[in-house]
Each structure stands twice: as structure tokens, then as C-alpha cells.
Amino acid sequence: GLTTLGVTGAKFPGSSSGTATLVAPAAAGTPTLTLPTITGALGLATRSVQTLGSGSGTYTTPAGCKSIWVRGIGGGGGGAGSGAGATGGTAAGNTTFGTVTGGGGLGGGANNGNSFAGGTVSGTGYILAIAGGRGGGGSTQAASSYADGTMGGSGAFGGAGSGGQGSQAAGPGTTNSGGGGGGAGINPSSADVTGSGGGSGAYFEMLISSPAATYSYAVGSPGSAGAAGTAGQAGGQGGSGVILIMEYY
């Protein structure tokens, strides 16, 4: 027989009233869809993930892996302490994978109003590079007043440490975020300068088709916190870096 299909809203030359009817010819027998012959095993594409959270060494590409997507961030710098004789935080380590380096952030300075830079990406073979955020600069506060330390720099994964206030310790950068450590606050005992926050690590991405058998890598270590001075507080340690590798088969 014939199959009748009702169509609503179609426009044809002439009268536009009523219902248009499309008539398709009858198909004799049972329609058959023929698929091409497949040689060998048929499977769905799969993927796996490796997380490198510390240290250094050699990454080995899994057997059968056709491409890898690599994301990495350098370590975050340490925040500075406050009080007379306080010390600044130290710079963080770089994160490297093959030919690309995500630099670690600088440590925050003690008794210093400057902001301190995050890391930068260098090398070849990356498809995305984002410099690390700067840590906040310290500020001078009069006696008899509390004052907050400044936050560390925030990177692509966030994780910045909060600034301290008075006797409250400065916050560290989150582990494996590359965030900078917070700067120390000050008590109201005397005029002083709050601690500066550390800069965050730089972030990079790589997309490698037909990857090599091995790649050297290193994960950026966190910058150390600056020590407290007289009547002051210590800064916050920076966050360590990380490398995430998505493996496609």
C-alpha cells in the first residue's frame, strides 16, 4: 500500500489552506542495510590518566597509546613573614615535561610593598601557555592596628594561600595547584609591614600525536614560607606543581 505523511506548516505555490500529503512509493520486500566487512578486532577508543604529583623521572608512554594531552603547572612561591627581621618566602621549582617548562613563582618579599611575579612558560611544543599570577605586595600599618597580609598569586588551578591577620597564620598554597603562599599579617603592637604573597606557577598544555617512548619530567616543588620576625607571623608555604597526562588509544 501507500504511506501517507501529514505535513504541517509547509508552503506550496497556490492555495496554502488544507493539509499537504506526501506519497512515497511502496517498498517491495524487506529493506536491507549492508555494512562493510571489518577485518580484525573492533573496539571503542579508550583513554587512561596518569597524575605526576611530585619528584622527577622518566614518563613511559603506554603500549598502544596514539596521543597524549599533557597539562602542567609550576610550583607556587612562598609567602613572606612579618615583623622586624622577618624573611621572605623562597621561589618555587619549575615543572618540566619533555621540551616545555612551566616556571615556578617567586617568593614574596619581607618588609616590601612590591608584588612578586608568577612563573612563565618556556620551551617548544606547547599549545597553551598561561603565566602565573602575581602575589600581593605588603603594606605599612600604623601601631595599634591589625593588618592583613596579602594573598598569594592564583594560577590556572586556583589554590592561592590567604593572607594572615594578626595572630592568624597565613594560608599555604593548595597542594598540586601551583598557587602562591599567603603573606603574614601583623599584630597591633607596633608599626610594621605586612608580608607579601608568593607568585603562582605557570601553566602549559601539550598535545602530542604519535608520542615518543619516553619523556623526562620534573614536578615543581613549593616555595618555602618566610620566617616570622619580632612580634610578627610566618608566611604561608606555596603550593606544589603537578603534571596531568591523558592517554588516548
Side-chain angles (χ1 to χ4, degrees):
L2 299 178
T3 299
T4 301
L5 174 65
V7 178
T8 301
K11 294 184 178 181
F12 299 91
S15 175
S16 60
S17 62
T19 301
T21 301
L22 302 179
V23 180
T30 302
T32 301
L33 176 63
T34 302
L35 298 175
T37 301
I38 298 176
T39 302
L42 176 63
L44 298 176
T46 59
R47 65 185 180 187
S48 56
V49 180
Q50 288 198 48
T51 301
L52 307 176
S54 63
S56 61
T58 300
Y59 164 80
T60 300
T61 305
C65 180
K66 293 180 173 58
S67 62
I68 56 176
W69 177 29
V70 182
R71 296 180 290 163
I73 192 167
S82 63
T87 62
T90 64
N94 299 334
T95 290
T96 61
F97 188 89
T99 57
V100 178
T101 297
L106 295 180
N111 298 306
N112 193 314
N114 295 327
S115 62
F116 289 81
T120 58
V121 176
S122 60
T124 59
Y126 54 84
I127 60 173
L128 178 64
I130 302 176
R134 300 182 72 91
S139 61
T140 301
Q141 187 68 24
S144 302
S145 297
Y146 285 99
D148 295 345
T150 56
M151 287 190 67
S154 185
F157 295 144
S162 60
Q165 183 184 42
S167 59
Q168 180 184 21
T174 302
T175 300
N176 295 144
S177 74
I186 55 176
N187 291 307
S189 58
S190 62
D192 206 340
V193 180
T194 62
S196 300
S200 76
Y203 173 80
F204 64 87
E205 293 188 9
M206 306 168 70
L207 185 59
I208 305 175
S209 299
S210 301
T214 60
Y215 293 91
S216 60
Y217 76 89
V219 177
S221 57
S224 298
T230 303
Q233 302 295 324
Q237 177 178 279
S240 54
V242 72
I243 300 172
L244 306 173
I245 307 170
M246 190 80 75
E247 301 152 339
Y248 296 90
Y249 299 87

